[in-house]
Structure formats: structure tokens, C-alpha cells
Amino acid sequence: MNQNFTMNASLIAKSFQEKFNSTPTLQVKAPGRINLIGEHTDYNDGFVLPAAIDKAIYFSLRPREDDQIRLYAVDLNDEINLNLQNRKKSKKAWANFLIGVINELLERGAQITHGFDLAFGGDVPLGAGMSSSAAIESGMGFALNQMFQLGLSRLQLAKIAQLAEHNFAGVKCGIMDMYASLFGKSEHLIKLDCRYLSHEYLPFSFDEVSVVLFNTGVKHNLADSAYNKRREECERGVEILKQRNPDILSLRDATSDDVNAAKSEMTEDVYKRCFFVTSETRRMMEATDALNNQNLIRFGELMYETHDGLSQDYEVSCTELDFLVNLVRDKTGVFGARMMGGGFGGCTINLIDKSKAREIICDVTKAYKDQFGFEAEHFEVCITDGCTVVSG
Ligand code: GLA
């Protein structure tokens, strides 16, 4: 078992013990995620290629006899108390990820018959595009499913986590992040079909490749950002395309040629968003073929194309992300790089030749500091299994 994993799980259990003066009866782990390619395609019924990683949120829980729920955020040293009947939105953003899941479960008749104490925390950096919020939501549902023997499938838990994000956090996200946290598989990418909510695993165990994330340190807040607006623009595009071809139910069904043909009927923004998504669908398919053929060079080229599309057409990048990608674009030893996740900050994902990784990380860190005056954190990540019970 990975050392970080055991250390983090036992730190959270220790904090639980100190806070609640009792021992947890259940410990679970919910990982963050990376996404190799297929960005902003999940809520357009398209395909994505994420994986769960060795950065995770850990939960310790113990059932109570009464209906009180006590939630403790170890990393923030903050807490909130509620009960099964009173589960309104909180002013504390972190608490809404948890309360949102409790609420969605109860609304759907889940037999959560009594309260519980919970402590959580971990090493998924917040607002860095590794889906800390989805890890919290997925882990919360997974833990309650386990503790109360609710009998829900991982897919049902992913949908509940997504609803919590929509209804309590206010971000109309797709399902990719929760799905990855719940369905992750060590050394595999998840090729997820977001229309049919089915997946296949693609092996990703290249001994010679490091997956490195550079964090811009620019915190994105998807709720406050233009994420929901992008989604609306895509929906507007579908309305226009549907008039020309009723078989187009979402952007997944359209090609870039369809979008070009309807360009004069769209605003410039709607056109650019639709053009990006339809191009990304094509890239995603090509990238899967490249991976199946072990062709990392082609895979990397497609990652750069995705970045350029996200930056110029989808307009969800920022100066810092563009800087990090441009820095490695022509470096020997880097197969590909791009901004990852919703955008407006967070991390870039880079596929780097392992023998060059140290040197490239040093160069990038230095250049970033020279440019912006502070260091870009980096993470060399491993692909892991999804939500698991640590003990209990
Ligand atoms: C965020 C959302 C996901 C997905 C990505 C962009 O991470 O939570 O559902 O839309 O952005 O691909």
C-alpha cells in the first residue's frame, strides 16, 4: 500500500479521534482525477478519458444513536453541525459538498436512519482542477452507502454526487469527475461514454512516461466562472443545429462541418463553442486510436490541439496556463501538454519522458517563477483505483 495513502488515512482517523473523542468505525478514500483528453465534452453527451489518481480525500466516520450530523473539515479546521431533518445549504462552501449528497440521498428515500460524526481531509489540492469537490461528493456517498448498507451502485452514487454539485454547489457540471473518482482503475484510463454512461478501460502503463501536473496557483471557482455560461452556449448551438437536422440531440451528434454550415445563424461565441466541442469529439476518437497503437507522439500532438481550442475557441484558459503549455511545446522529452479540467486556472497535464522529467520540471518551475514571481507546484501522479474502503 502506498505510503501517502496509509499516512493520510491514519491522520484523518487521528483527527477524528481528537475531535469526537471516539474511534471511527469506517474509513474510506475517494481519489481526485486527471483527464487525458476530451474536455468540456461530458455535458455534451460526448466521450472523455479520465483516470483516478493517487491524490485523494479520506473520510473517517462513526454512526450516532441520535439524528445529529457533525462534519469536521480537518484541513480547514472548521466544523458544522446539522441533523437529518435540517439540512439546508450552508454559507461554508466545503460543507455544501457533503450536505448536498446527504440531502440528495434522503430525498431519494435512502434509509439513513440516524446521524453520524465525520472527519475528512486529504491531499487533493483545492481549486487546482483535480476535482477535489467531486472527490468529496463521491466519497461522501460511497461512505454512507457503506455505513447504512444502502445498496446503491457506483453509477447511482456518481449521479447523486453530480446532483449535489448542481443543486448545492451551483455548478452544472458533467459527470466525468465523479465517475472517475468512483470507477477509477489502477494503470487504466476510463473511456467514458457520457450519453450512455458506460465505459471501457484502456491500459495506460507506459514505463517510460511520467504524468506531471503543473499548478498555476490560479484558483478557479467554477461556480463564479463562465462554466455554466459555456454549457448554455452549447445548448443554444444544439437548438440551431437541430433545426437543420432533427437527429442532432446534442453536440455529440454534430460534426465541425455541421457547425460551419450553420455559422451564419450563430453568434460568434456560440459558433466557437460548438466548433471546439465537435473538434474535440473527433480528437478524442483519434487519441484513443493513437493510444491503442502506443503512439504517444500523435497522442501528444492532439493534447496541444486541445489546448489551443480550449484557449482560443472555448476561451477557458488564462495567461498562466497558456504560458505553461507554450513553455514545454517544443521541449524534447515532452510528448504533449494542455490545460486540464474546467479551466480559468488550475493545472496543466504533461506527458513527459521519464528520463527527462527531473530536468524539465526544474526548467518549468524556474521559468514560471521568473515570469510570475512564485513557484508552480508540480505533481507526478500515478493512476489508481476509484473509491475504496480503507477499513471498517
Ligand atoms: C469540470 C467539470 C466536468 C467537466 C470539466 C471539463 O471539471 O466538473 O464535468 O465538464 O470541467 O471537461
Side-chain angles (χ1 to χ4, degrees), residues 33 38-43 131 173-177 222 227 341-342:
R33 65 103 188 91
E39 215 66 270
H40 288 277
T41 44
D42 60 351
Y43 54 84
S131 291
C173 65
I175 202 164
M176 167 171 75
D177 305 346
L222 293 180
Y227 184 92

Side-chain angles (χ1 to χ4, degrees), residues 11-302:
L11 275 178
I12 299 301
K14 188 163 170 276
S15 302
F16 181 100
Q17 175 86 45
E18 284 163 10
K19 184 81 193 163
F20 300 119
N21 218 6
S22 62
T23 320
T25 55
L26 173 68
Q27 284 179 265
V28 308
K29 173 198 164 202
R33 65 103 188 91
I34 50 173
N35 184 28
L36 268 289
I37 201 158
E39 215 66 270
H40 288 277
T41 44
D42 60 351
Y43 54 84
N44 286 301
D45 275 356
F47 290 85
V48 287
L49 204 54
I53 52 167
D54 57 342
K55 299 260 160 241
I57 304 288
Y58 299 82
F59 298 76
S60 286
L61 297 93
R62 184 183 179 91
R64 296 173 57 88
E65 311 251 296
D66 57 20
D67 66 357
Q68 295 294 303
I69 299 174
R70 299 192 292 180
L71 307 172
Y72 175 45
V74 176
D75 300 327
L76 305 171
N77 190 22
D78 196 6
E79 61 188 285
I80 186 166
N81 295 340
L82 56 147
N83 62 48
L84 284 175
Q85 289 73 40
N86 179 9
R87 37 181 211 272
K88 288 197 297 286
K89 262 189 212 173
S90 164
K91 289 204 178 76
K92 302 181 183 198
W94 65 265
N96 284 329
F97 300 130
L98 301 169
I99 306 171
V101 172
I102 301 167
N103 187 56
E104 295 299 336
L105 283 169
L106 285 166
E107 296 267 300
R108 272 156 198 75
Q111 291 300 304
I112 300 176
T113 44
H114 40 90
F116 55 90
D117 292 334
L118 176 150
F120 79 101
D123 58 4
V124 191
L126 300 181
M130 285 180 238
S131 291
S132 50
S133 59
I136 298 172
E137 290 151 346
S138 307
M140 179 80 234
F142 184 81
L144 293 179
N145 192 38
Q146 186 72 21
M147 195 158 81
F148 293 101
Q149 298 290 301
L150 302 178
L152 297 168
S153 66
R154 284 183 189 248
L155 180 56
Q156 285 171 309
L157 293 173
K159 288 181 182 171
I160 285 186
Q162 185 190 19
L163 283 171
E165 182 81 27
H166 286 196
N167 299 333
F168 266 65
V171 184
K172 300 283 179 207
C173 65
I175 202 164
M176 167 171 75
D177 305 346
M178 299 74 191
Y179 203 98
S181 186
L182 282 150
F183 284 92
K185 179 171 162 158
S186 173
E187 297 191 356
H188 287 77
L189 303 177
I190 307 166
K191 184 181 176 195
L192 166 63
D193 180 332
C194 298
R195 168 171 281 163
Y196 298 108
L197 296 181
S198 60
H199 67 271
E200 59 177 301
Y201 290 114
L202 305 184
F204 190 85
S205 52
F206 295 92
D207 290 340
E208 77 282 18
V209 178
S210 288
V211 180
V212 179
L213 310 182
F214 290 110
N215 187 0
T216 56
V218 178
K219 287 241 163 45
H220 63 177
N221 182 343
L222 293 180
D224 289 339
S225 75
Y227 184 92
N228 291 347
K229 180 144 182 274
R230 293 295 179 282
R231 196 171 174 151
E232 283 162 26
E233 287 164 341
C234 291
E235 283 160 11
R236 178 70 197 119
V238 172
E239 280 169 26
I240 294 167
L241 293 166
K242 204 188 266 175
Q243 296 196 340
R244 302 176 138 250
N245 176 356
D247 291 339
I248 298 178
L249 302 179
S250 64
L251 286 181
R252 178 220 179 100
D253 305 317
T255 62
S256 300
D257 285 347
D258 295 328
V259 175
N260 283 331
K263 185 173 181 183
S264 61
E265 293 151 45
M266 295 175 171
T267 63
E268 198 192 336
D269 281 353
V270 168
Y271 167 74
K272 282 161 87 179
R273 309 312 181 229
C274 294
F275 184 79
F276 168 78
V277 174
T278 49
S279 313
E280 184 69 352
T281 305
R282 191 234 339 126
R283 270 191 294 271
M284 164 76 204
M285 293 307 164
E286 231 194 288
T288 311
D289 288 345
L291 199 64
N292 287 335
N293 296 327
Q294 308 269 309
N295 187 348
L296 282 181
I297 304 221
R298 181 64 192 137
F299 192 94
E301 285 167 2
L302 290 163

